[in-house]
Structures are given as structure tokens and as C-alpha cells.
Amino acid sequence: MSHHPHGSRLASLALQFTTRDLRNRYLGSLSGLVWAVVQPLLLLATYAIVFVEVLKVRLPDAVGAGFVPYLALGLWPWTAFAEGLVRGSNAIVEHTSMLSKIAVPKLLIVFAPVAGSFLIHGVGFLMVLAALDLSQVPIQWQGLPVALLLYLCLFLWTLGLAWMLSALTVFVRDLAHVIPQVLTLGFFLTPVFFAREMIPPRFALLTDANPMSVYLDGFRAAMLGTQGLGDRAWLALAAALAALALGLVLFRRLDRHLEDFL
Amino acid sequence: MSAAPLVQARGLGKRYPRVTHPRDRLRALARLVLGRDMPDATEVLADVSLEVRAGESLAVIGENGAGKSTLLKLLTGVLAPSSGVVQVNGSVAALLELGAGFHPEYTGRENLALSSALLGFAPGELRSRIDDILAFADIGRYVDEPIKHYSSGMIVRLGFALVAARRPDLLITDEVLAVGDEAFQRKCVAWIEDYLSGGGTLLLVSHSMYHVRKLCRRALWLHHGRVQAYGDVHDVSQQYLAHEERRIAAEGRRPEAIGTGLEFGVVELRVEGDASELPCARGQGEPLRIEADVHSRDGRVPHLAIGLTRADGTAIYGTSSEMAGATPDRLDAHRFRFRLEFDALALLPGSYLVRAHAMDSEALRLFDTVERQLVVRGESREFGLVRLAHRWSGGGPATVSGGIA
């Protein structure tokens, strides 16, 4: 069918949908974007007080980084991932009324909230890095290109999963409730608050085979100079490409039937 | 103009899966992932083939639920067909539903940004066309207010103005013309006529046979999801209207008027001898004959008031049998027949209502009201509702233009 737009039109539509998604988040709230800027810094300050000053958490020396920078470099990418996945998975069901009236490339409906999440938290991520730098944490800025590349991989991995889950959610509505629960579990099975070095060896597979732990460790290695990914580095790219390919195949297979089940 | 049709559909069908239980959805998902067909489904459209060449205009008509909207959704790509193929070779703009694609929280201007991108405007193209669009929509300062504050008419104006600016190869509209006020409707119809004469192609769904015949040269009649007739608009719409009349007659018209217990009730209103509920079409300056049968519960002689109004109810002219001292024919103990004739309709082309009111013997109280749509056809550039007898004079020979053309 010739209804599907191509190339530059698709790109301009993607841009339109993404800006609209960003605006939707702050629609009707006065503080709007100011909040998006202040919130990550406030959160970082809170973590510093609670974990370092109150709970006196310290990472093993082998990690080679302070707790707050270590946490910060895991938490922001995780938040972008989790939020993008939850909002992306719900996107098709949420846009039922629009999809039943006008012809819209559905892939873009899912793309927009994922891209929006990664943009907002990407900016927050950079601000947190700058704040850390200002508070005497040695940030390796020369690692930024690698970190951004990893961030792109993380985005593609999230997008692929979101395409898959958004199509499946149309058929299995329970997924809308299940996905946040699974993400909460995943949060504690991924080294965000703790380091991979602290896990007993019999649980090591849980984090080693977990693509999210690969991404987070990658960000820390690039920006803090902690132990590198070594032979796990290829997993970051492989996971992203596999999720993207699988997501596209599944979504395309179900695309033309989604309308019938909305 | 290329030889290939702009729109081509062959053997188009749509079946909706039957899903009553969440388990059905799971089973459907499994089948689809494995690349198999849906097992049991409800058929809403079957075996529709059509072809629209550039510059043609096609109307899709039929009863509610006949599958008209589904067909349009298949042609625009909102829905995927269960069988058959659709091919569209050109840009398409569709006005399928009131405010489709508009977000209520955003202003008109902001909504235009996304909607224009969906219509295929290049980035920046909207900026250069925005003045034209706003001039056509004519919604004034509302353009910077959220859409949720708009009236339905204003939403249609904005949507239509955007499409008008786009001038697509194919325009698809679904009954949206019925929403706006009359002035805007006329503006849209004028735009569509201009668009058609400029080589545009139209696919229109409408219940208004007036619009259908005015704008389209061919028609497709859908009946229970299948093509009942397809061809010249006058043939097809006449077949359809005849079918509708038979259907309405079979259902029995207004039997309740006698049984309602009203003292006086209009049992039947015939305009030009036609008692159906379909609009009556007359040419400008033609005579108009109205007959009404009034039921009188206790056999007293009733009176009848007849009014002509604009489609929005604004009164144009009203009179009654009592004013003229006319008495009806007594058909039986309870039934009285009134006849009223206008020699030459002074109404200008447009859509009007004929209203008949049953009144008591003293013509003091009004009991029952029955109305009928009247469409006056003709070509006239005059303004207003009626033609008043008049005469231009000046240096040259005066031209008389008051009588019947």
C-alpha cells in the first residue's frame, strides 16, 4: 500500500510526535521545563545525603569510584530506560482514538515517548555529570563520546523492547500492569545501587547476562574510569540490535491487525 | 493526466475478529504471530471493487451501518483490509471524523503543526500557508485557544481549511459537511466545486442526496457491506431513494399520531404528492403543492398552519387555513384533508423546511407539528432567502427581472 510515508516525511513526523510528547509531559504545569532541570539535581543531592551521610554506604575499593558518582551513572540511564519502556509500551493503547480516525505510522507513536524519555533524562544525565565535576569528582570527559554511543545503544534496545511490548499490550491488556512490576524487580537485579563486585558468585549470572548491567557498567567505565566491560562490550551492541530487529519484525507482523483489537 | 486510476480497490473485504473473552485475544495473538488467518470473524464489508480516476468524483451512499465509514477507512489506510487490495497513487487528505487528530488541550495553531505534518506538508510549508488557512477557517482569535473551547463548527472549519490549503490529489470526506453552519457549508461546497473543476478528485460519504448529486458524478451504494449499485450518480441515488421509501413505507409511517390521544394530529404530510420523509426537491420558481391530513379526535373541524423556515428554523413565511377562511375536505368522521398551493416559489436555491401544524377549531391552540425538508434547486447569484419582485432602471433600457424565469 502506498499509505506509508517515506524518508524525510517520516523523519519530520517523528520530530513532530516527539516534540508533542515532550510538551505533553509539561502541559498545564507551571514550572514545566524548570522542574525537569532542577529535579535531577535535587535527587542527586538527596541520594548523597541519605546514602553517604546517613547510611554510610561505601563501595569496595576494587570498584574504584565513590558511591554517589557510581549511583548517578547508573540511575539516570536506568530511569530513561524504565520510563521510556513503560510509556512506549502503553503508547498504542493510549492513542486508540487517534489511530481509529487517521492513518498514522504506528511505529512512530511508540518511538515518540521513548525518544522523549531519552532526551529529557539525557539532559539530566549531562547536568548531573557537570554537577559531579563541580564537586571535585574526577569525571573523564574524554569518555563522553563512548558514553553517548552507549546511550544510543541503550535507546535502540529500549525502542526495540517497546515496539514488541506495545503491540503485545494491545492483545494482552494485563501487560500494562505487569511491565512496571517486572521493571521494579529488574531494578534490584541490576547493579544500580550496588556494584557487580559485591554480588556472591552464585548470583553473578543474574547481572552478567543482564544487558542493563552491561550498559550501566559501560557508562561508569567511560566516565569514571572504573573497570572496563572487557569481553562483555559486544553484548551492548548485540542486545540493542537483537531487540530492535525482533521488535520490528513482531510489530510489522501485528501492525495491520492492531486496529481490530483496540 | 496519467492513465492509472488514482484509487483502485479490488475485492475489498473487512472482517472484525470476534473477541468476547480475554482468552480469545491471546489465541488471536498466537495465530497472528505464527502468520495465520483469524478463524471466526464478523464480516462488515465484502467484495467491494471500485476505481476512481483523477478528476472524477464518487459518492458512497447507504444506510447507517452499511459499511461506508469502514470502506473509507480502508481507502485511507486507517484500517487494513482482511481481503483484497487497495492502491492509491497520489496524495490523500481525509476528513473522516470531527476533529480527528486534534488534541483538545492544544491551541488551534499548535494542532495545525502536527496535523499538517500528517497531511504531508513539508517543514516550513505550514508557515507560508498559515494566513490562507486562518482566513478560510475564519475562527478569529480562537486560533490561539485550546481546541476544547471550540464549537463543533469551528473544529470542522479548522480541519477543512487545512485540507483546502493542501489541495490533495484525492479528498475523502465523511459527512463532515453536515456539522458546520450553512454559510460555511456553502463555502466548503464552493471550494469543492472549484477543486473539482481544477482537476481534483473527490470521494464523499453523505446522507444528503442534495450534496451527493451536486458534487458527484458517480455513486456507489453500499447495502449490508456489499455493493448494491455502482454507476451514474442519478441512477444510483434514485435506486437508493426508492429503496429507502419502500423501507420507510414498510415500517409504517406515523401510526402513533392517531393513537397518541392528541386532540388534533397531522397524520400525513404530502409535499408534491410525496408522503415519504425524504427531502423534496423543487426548482426555483416552480409551484409547490402541499397536502396534509389532520386527525381530529372528537370529529371537530380542525385548522392547519403551514410554515416555511430556513434549515436552522428561522421563519420565512407562515399562514393558516383560518386566515384564508379555508375549510378542509372531510374524508371520514375524524380525518380532514387540507390543500395548499404556492404558484411560484420565490425561495432562492437552498435547503428549507416545510412545517405543518394541526390547530383546534378556533385556530387558537397548536397541537401537532410535522416537518419535511425542502430543497430548492437552481443557479442563482442572488443573496438572501427569497426573490423580491424588482426592477433596475437607468440610462439604458430597463430589464425586468421580477417574474418567473
Side-chain angles (χ1 to χ4, degrees), chain B residues 73-131:
Chain B
K73 284 183 177 181
L74 290 176
L75 295 177
T76 48
V78 172
L79 282 178
S82 313
S83 55
V85 280
V86 181
Q87 242 186 339
V88 181
N89 307 306
S91 63
V92 184
L95 284 164
L96 289 191
E97 249 170 278
L98 184 58
F102 284 160
H103 191 298
E105 298 286 338
Y106 287 102
T107 68
R109 208 183 285 276
E110 287 161 346
N111 268 297
L112 285 179
L114 180 63
S115 296
S116 65
L118 281 169
L119 266 177
F121 276 65
E125 200 180 338
L126 179 65
R127 227 170 304 133
S128 59
R129 307 298 311 273
I130 189 92
D131 290 336

Side-chain angles (χ1 to χ4, degrees), chain B residues 90-403:
Chain B
S91 63
V92 184
L95 284 164
L96 289 191
E97 249 170 278
L98 184 58
F102 284 160
H103 191 298
E105 298 286 338
Y106 287 102
T107 68
R109 208 183 285 276
E110 287 161 346
N111 268 297
L112 285 179
L114 180 63
S115 296
S116 65
L118 281 169
L119 266 177
F121 276 65
E125 200 180 338
L126 179 65
R127 227 170 304 133
S128 59
R129 307 298 311 273
I130 189 92
D131 290 336
D132 294 346
I133 295 172
L134 295 184
F136 193 98
D138 192 24
I139 55 170
R141 60 180 175 82
Y142 272 94
V143 69
D144 291 310
E145 297 235 3
I147 294 267
K148 63 181 173 187
H149 294 162
Y150 284 30
S151 67
S152 55
M154 287 160 72
I155 294 176
V156 172
R157 282 158 175 264
L158 196 63
F160 196 94
L162 183 63
V163 167
R166 178 72 194 145
R167 275 200 172 253
D169 297 334
L170 172 67
L171 173 63
I172 299 184
T173 81
D174 187 355
E175 212 60 271
V176 276
L177 289 181
V179 183
D181 58 66
E182 225 177 321
F184 189 73
Q185 266 191 34
R186 218 169 293 141
K187 197 168 168 182
C188 292
V189 170
W191 184 88
I192 292 176
E193 283 181 322
D194 175 60
Y195 162 81
L196 288 174
S197 65
T201 311
L202 176 71
L203 228 158
L204 171 84
V205 163
S206 182
H207 286 287
S208 155
M209 287 306 126
Y210 170 68
H211 282 150
V212 164
R213 286 174 175 169
K214 189 172 167 68
L215 296 172
C216 299
R217 269 186 291 168
R218 295 203 304 147
L220 184 147
W221 170 16
L222 276 181
H223 190 60
H224 296 315
R226 286 170 187 275
V227 178
Q228 183 86 4
Y230 180 36
D232 177 77
V233 69
H234 290 283
D235 296 347
V236 176
S237 61
Q238 234 139 43
Q239 285 179 48
Y240 170 65
L241 287 179
H243 166 85
E244 281 290 273
E245 267 173 55
R246 282 197 301 276
R247 188 175 64 88
I248 291 168
E251 280 169 11
R253 289 187 58 260
R254 297 187 57 79
E256 75 279 8
I258 297 165
T260 43
L262 279 178
E263 280 178 57
F264 301 96
V266 179
V267 196
E268 191 166 285
L269 173 65
R270 281 182 303 279
V271 179
E272 284 300 313
D274 175 13
S276 77
E277 287 176 6
L278 298 165
C280 168
R282 296 302 284 163
Q284 192 184 358
E286 283 183 353
L288 182 71
R289 285 177 297 129
I290 298 169
E291 279 184 336
D293 288 1
V294 176
H295 176 85
S296 164
R297 195 176 58 192
D298 49 16
R300 287 189 297 145
V301 181
H303 276 297
L304 181 77
I306 293 281
L308 284 170
T309 73
R310 237 164 60 168
D312 64 2
T314 311
I316 298 171
Y317 181 71
T319 186
S320 76
S321 56
E322 188 263 345
M323 293 178 198
T327 44
D329 295 340
R330 191 174 202 135
L331 301 181
D332 59 37
H334 297 284
R335 195 168 168 132
F336 296 85
R337 176 166 294 172
F338 292 88
R339 288 195 186 86
L340 174 66
E341 214 163 309
F342 292 93
D343 289 337
L345 266 189
L347 294 173
L348 292 180
S351 194
Y352 303 92
L353 289 175
V354 174
R355 284 191 174 156
H357 311 276
M359 300 177 84
D360 60 10
S361 310
E362 291 73 38
L364 292 175
R365 283 178 64 203
L366 206 142
F367 285 89
D368 190 19
T369 300
V370 173
E371 17 173 85
R372 185 71 189 285
Q373 215 184 318
L374 170 70
V375 175
V376 177
R377 284 194 299 218
E379 298 284 336
S380 170
R381 289 163 55 214
E382 291 152 287
F383 300 102
L385 301 170
V386 294
R387 172 178 289 170
L388 300 177
H390 63 287
R391 180 193 311 273
W392 290 99
S393 50
T399 313
V400 180
S401 158

